[in-house]
Amino acid sequence: MTALLEITGLEVHFPIGGGLFRRPRGMVHAVDGVDLTLEEGEILALVGESGCGKTTLGRAILGLVEPTAGSIRFAGTEVVGQTADARRDYHRHVQMVFQDPYDSLNPRKTVLQTLAQPLERHRVVTSGDRADAVVRLLDRVGLSPGPSFLDRYPHQFSGGQRQRIGIARALAVEPRLIVADEAVSALDISIRAQILDLLRRLQREDGLAYLFITHDLGVVRSFADRVAVMYLGEVVEEGPTDSLFALPRHPYSRALLDASPVADPVRARARRTAPLTGDVPSPADPPPGCRFHTRCPVARAICSREAPARHSFADGHWSACHFAAEAARWQPARHPETTPA
Ligand SMILES: Nc1ncnc2c1ncn2[C@@H]1O[C@H](COP(=O)(O)OP(=O)(O)OP(=O)(O)O)[C@@H](O)[C@H]1O
Ligand SMILES: [Mg+2]
């Protein structure tokens, strides 16, 4: 079966320093050789520290930055280097929801104007019934009665309501994939839960897939089917959510999980590794070998010399750590019942 989204060898490098007549001083390796696959209706979480390249990867998928190298195939069709016409069709299928909808909604446009625009641009409706179509959209994202919202401006809504409008705008063109970049991070807990419920309902009803970019591992655990962990432009581990949380196979993933707050005191006591320390190395000059070796609690000599290959485990779980197979030994399992014998 053809995957909905298939990314291979994706690189996005940004020049630093240069100018019109000056050569750049170097390149930021924001995304550096990423392979990712997303199936129809799947929720893939993308996690990692600030600056590791999550947003850049999302923007490359949306066509907002041009990849330096690599391929992005959507439902089997190459997207990189597409003509403007073909890209328009693609943009109907792939939409983005941002962290702060207030930044991405035009403050001078009413809800009707904001939501009618994508409907018309992609010819989803004719101008005659656009108000009806907008009301239906508002209904779907839980803003009802829809007609009472049509003539209001973004500043007249709460943060949660604005995020619903941001989601409605993405839904307007009937997408198959939504890249959600920290879409619930700025919301307080009860509103966050409501928005996550809404996203999950839309996924069930429409078979939508999400690339869900977040810092919040608690949300990942309850929301995502699979998790990809990024470090300095690379995906270092990927696997089904349960499997990755039960036994992270990369010391970096382990450190991230350990750094996230836990409510369970038994699990909290079971933490043995030191928290993540040291600065993230510059993405303009990533360390040789395994990029994480400068901060890794279990690094050995080979780690600074050789880039690790992928080690595969059950259910498509893999890790790019030389010692992935020893993960159960260098750390306590989170759920003893799932520890391999
Ligand atoms: N347009 C750009 N020009 C130059 N460098 C950039 C550009 N956009 C991003 N970068 C750099 O690329 C790297 C990855 O940035 P990116 O925003 O993708 O990280 P992120 O994982 O989304 O971080 P955060 O969690 O803080 O949102 C960073 O070093 C950033 O400074
Ligand atoms: Mg970001």
Side-chain angles (χ1 to χ4, degrees):
M1 210 184 74
T2 313
L4 183 66
L5 184 75
E6 194 172 7
I7 298 174
T8 34
L10 194 74
E11 294 178 8
V12 183
H13 296 175
F14 297 111
I16 30 178
L20 199 51
F21 301 108
R22 273 176 300 135
R23 288 210 298 146
R25 275 186 287 113
M27 295 298 244
V28 176
H29 298 220
V31 175
D32 215 14
V34 165
D35 300 338
L36 274 184
T37 303
L38 205 74
E39 304 293 342
E40 194 96 40
E42 190 176 41
I43 303 181
L44 174 65
L46 188 61
V47 303
E49 282 167 296
S50 189
C52 68
K54 305 179 298 294
T55 296
T56 305
L57 178 59
R59 288 170 56 83
I61 292 170
L62 268 292
L64 300 173
V65 291
E66 216 40 59
T68 313
S71 151
I72 301 174
R73 295 173 80 81
F74 184 81
T77 303
E78 181 61 55
V79 175
V80 177
Q82 254 183 346
T83 62
D85 264 4
R87 192 119 320 157
R88 197 176 123 118
D89 193 42
Y90 173 66
H91 280 160
R92 226 192 119 155
H93 296 308
V94 183
Q95 290 285 308
M96 193 148 184
V97 174
F98 299 91
Q99 170 163 7
D100 184 357
Y102 202 60
D103 282 344
S104 63
L105 296 173
N106 185 334
R108 280 181 289 276
K109 280 193 176 165
T110 63
V111 167
L112 177 63
Q113 288 166 334
T114 297
L115 296 182
Q117 193 186 19
L119 290 171
E120 285 168 2
R121 180 159 14 98
H122 290 277
R123 303 196 185 91
V124 180
V125 294
T126 56
S127 55
D129 50 19
R130 60 178 210 158
D132 286 347
V134 169
V135 167
R136 277 198 301 278
L137 267 178
L138 290 171
D139 233 29
R140 290 209 66 199
V141 299
L143 292 172
S144 54
S148 69
F149 291 95
L150 291 180
D151 297 322
R152 292 214 239 153
Y153 291 87
H155 73 267
Q156 295 173 297
F157 291 93
S158 68
Q161 286 176 324
R162 277 203 292 271
Q163 194 54 295
R164 287 177 196 269
I165 296 169
I167 293 168
R169 183 178 53 183
L171 281 183
V173 295
E174 297 163 9
R176 290 162 74 188
L177 168 65
I178 288 185
V179 175
D181 192 354
E182 303 284 5
V184 298
S185 309
L187 305 171
D188 63 48
I189 285 181
S190 63
I191 307 290
R192 182 181 305 176
Q194 291 171 15
I195 298 290
L196 288 170
D197 278 348
L198 169 64
L199 292 174
R200 208 177 280 109
R201 180 162 57 74
L202 296 171
Q203 181 231 6
R204 271 200 310 271
E205 289 173 1
D206 293 5
L208 267 176
Y210 296 110
L211 180 67
F212 194 80
I213 299 172
T214 182
H215 279 105
D216 188 335
L217 290 160
V219 168
V220 170
R221 185 159 209 179
S222 63
F223 189 67
D225 300 314
R226 272 191 309 134
V227 187
V229 181
M230 267 186 101
Y231 186 73
L232 273 183
E234 297 180 329
V235 175
V236 296
E237 179 171 8
E238 191 195 327
T241 306
D242 289 345
S243 166
L244 197 139
F245 273 79
L247 185 59
R249 296 278 186 172
H250 196 288
Y252 179 61
S253 315
R254 164 105 206 272
L256 276 186
L257 292 190
D258 277 359
S260 79
V262 273
D264 176 354
V266 176
R267 271 185 58 217
R269 270 200 302 277
R271 291 176 165 182
R272 263 198 267 146
T273 45
L276 259 182
T277 53
D279 290 334
V280 183
S282 163
D285 185 21
C290 170
R291 291 186 179 183
F292 186 55
H293 84 263
T294 58
R295 301 166 77 200
C296 181
V298 298
R300 297 182 214 167
I302 188 177
C303 303
S304 58
R305 286 199 312 265
E306 275 179 40
R310 283 186 183 189
H311 294 256
S312 294
F313 303 91
D315 303 321
H317 189 168
W318 62 262
S319 158
C321 167
H322 288 294
F323 304 104
E326 297 174 20
R329 248 186 290 149
W330 45 253
Q331 65 186 1
R334 262 134 230 292
H335 298 294
E337 69 275 18
T338 57
T339 308

